[in-house]
Amino acid sequence: MRDRTLKKRIRLVVLVLAKKISLRLVTTVITFFSLMSCAIAEENKAVEKLPADLLVLGEYVLPMNDETNPSAIIRDGAVAIRNNKIIAVGPRLELEAKYQSKTKIEGDNRVLMPGLINGHTHTAMTLFKGMADDLELMPWLNNYIFPMEGKFVKPEFVRVGTELACYEMIRGGITSFVDMYFYPEIISEQTVNCGLRAVVAAPMIDFPSPGFKGWDDSFAAGMKYVEQWQGKHERITPAFGPHAPYTVSPEHIQQVAEKSRELNVPISMHIAESKAESEMIAKNHQSSPVAHIDNQSMFDDNQVIAAHMVHPNEKEMTILAKKKVGAIHNPTSNLKLAAGISPVTMLLKKGVSVGLGTDGAASNNDLDLWEEIRLAALLHKVKENDPTVVPAITAIQLATSIGARAVGLGKQVGQLRIGYKADMIQVSLDDLRLQPIYNVVSHLAYAVDSHDVVTTIVSGNVLMKERKVLTVDENKLRHSVKAISDKISRELKK
Ligand SMILES: [Zn+2]
């Protein structure tokens, strides 16, 4: 009896054990297969990542695409680029998980932000830098610039001068610029070769200038250039460049305005730059420069990029805002030529899109837009006796998002935004002189300079990597610059 009970108990224990073992085995097998399937799913997910051409990282990403909070920063962020455009902006981990990129640029201790926009320059004048300083505008133009241009400005001069300017702009993080100089077709070719984006205005002027006897042939050449380059290259926007109200007659201003409307071509013009200009226009046309240009209907249904705009009155600023005229503030040039201080705070208050420009290197004497950002942030504080005007972020907006609107490229560049052209820069905060870092935006406006830019990208193409410009042969360019500057030096000694 006891034996039978014992046997029964043993059988029961064996049965329970067997059940438990088989259950554990089944559970183990199930767990194993489910883990396997998860791994396979993960692998499939990795394969399904979206393709990108380039992933650019930034410890601080400043997209400038939030109108209500333009200084918003993504910490440890990234931008994904495909087919020359921005396809994503966001946290690095999210973008790395979502996109499979052929190339990646690391962003430790770097700010990733939109490339800077130089709203007014004369690129080839880099070869005249330091030639004549400390003079008033009219004697500077009439005694030095115009005669030297007549002697030296030839296709080779423009080719070399433009390349030198492009090199300097790439080094300093400028990705777009608005140019106005002779041989615009050569400027356009060089800009394409260097990889930058530009609005290139063909110069038009009433009196003899390099290559032209006067208005008729400069206008005809401008028309020919626009016909050849309109829609030819995604990085070049051809424009008309009537020089200024004091060098172009009212009839000729009207002629340009009509053609510009007809062909949908922007206009770049110096307007209201100096007191001497205001006096000349008052004497000859009984008007102020802005009202005089408006009387020729140039601002009507046209995209006008007005360089300088130092002396508009309040009523004229309302007109500029209403007619969507972009005003380009050139603080260094205005200071150097004592042209005056543009009423930038009032222009912005009125709703005018204000950009920043270096002007030509002959009146600057460099193409460093960081200097213009800093001057814009400082100059208006002292002018208005108010340290709260043009705060750091506004000064940076003038060189990026608002500046892009001022030059008519506001829907393409100036922000890190999905669908926009992939134009951006990395600014390194590594340098000991930039420590400590409490506020990145403050550093960008008040402490950073062009040497801190380490990467320049335009249309998704890397033009500068770790401070090395990839699109310019530096030695060759140095020799070409020397060959021309030697001739200019000899002429200056005569
Ligand atoms: Zn200028």
Side-chain angles (χ1 to χ4, degrees):
M1 186 69 185
R2 277 180 72 190
D3 272 5
R4 260 185 18 220
T5 317
L6 192 70
K7 268 185 193 166
K8 250 184 185 174
R9 276 185 183 168
I10 288 169
R11 203 184 301 149
L12 200 72
V13 167
V14 168
L15 258 171
V16 167
L17 276 174
K19 247 184 195 171
K20 271 197 175 168
I21 287 165
S22 68
L23 210 74
R24 199 166 283 173
L25 193 74
V26 168
T27 316
T28 311
V29 168
I30 286 171
T31 312
F32 174 75
F33 279 110
S34 71
L35 278 175
M36 280 293 288
S37 65
C38 268
I40 289 164
E42 276 299 310
E43 210 176 289
N44 282 343
K45 237 164 117 186
V47 172
E48 280 166 16
K49 273 188 182 180
L50 297 169
D53 298 330
L54 179 61
L55 209 58
V56 191
L57 314 185
E59 190 160 331
Y60 310 90
V61 176
L62 184 65
M64 317 274 313
N65 61 6
D66 185 343
E67 294 271 323
T68 53
N69 184 18
S71 52
I73 280 178
I74 305 167
R75 283 300 300 264
D76 195 11
V79 170
I81 298 166
R82 196 176 174 212
N83 293 336
N84 308 333
K85 289 198 173 162
I86 294 170
I87 53 169
V89 184
R92 176 181 61 84
L93 289 176
E94 258 177 44
L95 264 65
E96 280 180 339
K98 194 172 173 189
Y99 294 97
Q100 185 67 47
S101 173
K102 292 174 211 156
T103 322
K104 190 197 282 186
I105 298 176
E106 298 294 338
D108 292 347
N109 217 13
R110 289 177 177 188
V111 183
L112 177 59
M113 62 181 285
L116 308 182
I117 293 153
N118 186 357
H120 177 67
T121 189
H122 311 281
T123 48
M125 291 184 91
T126 44
L127 293 172
F128 287 145
K129 72 166 80 90
M131 183 182 76
D133 297 319
D134 313 325
L135 295 163
E136 279 183 32
L137 177 65
M138 294 305 167
W140 178 76
L141 281 176
N142 294 325
N143 302 342
Y144 289 89
I145 299 302
F146 290 154
M148 289 305 261
E149 281 183 336
K151 234 180 193 106
F152 288 100
V153 176
K154 307 251 158 45
E156 178 62 5
F157 177 100
V158 174
R159 193 168 289 118
V160 174
T162 304
E163 192 177 15
L164 182 61
C166 287
Y167 172 81
E168 186 178 354
M169 289 193 279
I170 294 169
R171 281 292 307 269
I174 291 169
T175 50
S176 298
F177 63 97
V178 178
D179 205 11
M180 183 205 285
Y181 212 60
F182 305 101
Y183 303 102
E185 60 288 344
I186 295 174
I187 298 169
S188 303
E189 281 164 16
Q190 282 296 59
T191 305
V192 168
N193 294 342
C194 292
L196 287 171
R197 183 182 311 286
V199 176
V200 181
M204 298 167 165
I205 196 159
D206 279 358
F207 57 80
S209 58
F212 306 122
K213 289 189 208 81
W215 176 261
D216 287 345
D217 51 355
S218 71
F219 180 78
M223 283 293 295
K224 195 175 157 207
Y225 161 71
V226 164
E227 275 165 24
Q228 279 173 350
W229 278 85
Q230 202 172 28
K232 183 176 172 181
H233 197 285
E234 66 104 6
R235 286 189 276 107
I236 303 294
T237 306
F240 292 129
H243 177 259
Y246 57 93
T247 50
V248 182
S249 73
E251 299 73 36
H252 294 159
I253 294 170
Q254 286 169 24
Q255 192 182 1
V256 174
E258 277 164 30
K259 271 292 160 202
S260 165
R261 273 187 289 272
E262 186 189 317
L263 302 172
N264 194 23
V265 168
I267 296 171
S268 173
M269 188 179 199
H270 299 94
I271 303 175
E273 179 175 359
S274 70
K275 283 250 164 66
E277 173 187 338
S278 299
E279 284 160 14
M280 242 190 273
I281 300 298
K283 192 176 149 219
N284 297 335
H285 306 290
Q286 296 73 51
S287 180
S288 70
V290 174
H292 172 64
I293 298 292
D294 193 34
N295 288 341
Q296 318 314 322
S297 310
M298 197 178 92
F299 299 141
D300 299 332
D301 302 314
N302 264 337
Q303 191 223 316
V304 179
I305 306 161
H308 297 293
M309 203 49 79
V310 178
H311 301 285
N313 62 37
E314 210 179 317
K315 195 177 139 209
E316 290 170 337
M317 289 189 235
T318 310
I319 294 171
L320 296 173
K322 203 175 133 206
K323 302 197 174 180
K324 295 191 167 36
V325 175
I328 307 301
H329 180 37
N330 299 262
T332 302
S333 170
N334 296 159
L335 285 166
K336 191 158 184 265
L337 295 165
I341 304 176
S342 170
V344 165
T345 40
M346 184 58 86
L347 283 164
L348 289 170
K349 216 176 272 173
K350 292 276 183 189
V352 177
S353 295
V354 179
L356 290 180
T358 57
D359 209 348
S363 62
N364 188 305
N365 297 357
D366 57 39
L367 305 177
D368 182 351
L369 212 66
W370 299 97
E371 209 169 83
E372 310 304 326
I373 290 174
R374 185 142 50 249
L375 279 175
L378 297 174
L379 195 54
H380 304 286
K381 291 172 172 48
V382 79
K383 179 185 159 75
E384 311 286 335
N385 194 24
D386 179 356
T388 66
V389 302
V390 192
I393 189 61
T394 304
I396 297 166
Q397 282 177 294
L398 302 187
T400 54
S401 52
I402 300 178
R405 278 210 299 272
V407 304
L409 298 174
K411 293 214 161 65
Q412 299 181 48
V413 297
Q415 301 175 38
L416 302 181
R417 185 189 279 270
I418 293 171
Y420 272 43
K421 305 275 188 186
D423 292 11
M424 64 199 74
I425 56 173
Q426 276 184 326
V427 180
S428 170
L429 300 178
D430 259 344
D431 199 316
L432 182 57
R433 75 176 217 290
L434 295 175
Q435 314 309 314
I437 302 156
Y438 302 120
N439 183 331
V440 168
V441 168
S442 161
H443 263 31
L444 291 173
Y446 295 115
V448 153
D449 68 32
S450 58
H451 298 98
D452 298 310
V453 181
V454 286
T455 311
T456 302
I457 297 168
V458 175
S459 264
N461 301 312
V462 182
L463 309 186
M464 180 171 76
K465 194 176 177 188
E466 303 303 325
R467 293 193 176 90
K468 170 80 186 148
V469 177
L470 305 175
T471 51
V472 174
D473 182 334
E474 288 182 32
N475 279 334
K476 203 172 147 210
L477 178 59
R478 193 180 292 273
H479 280 105
S480 309
V481 170
K482 188 159 184 321
I484 293 173
S485 60
D486 282 350
K487 283 187 204 157
I488 295 174
S489 291
R490 281 198 290 277
E491 184 65 27
L492 286 168
K493 279 177 194 149
K494 273 185 190 168

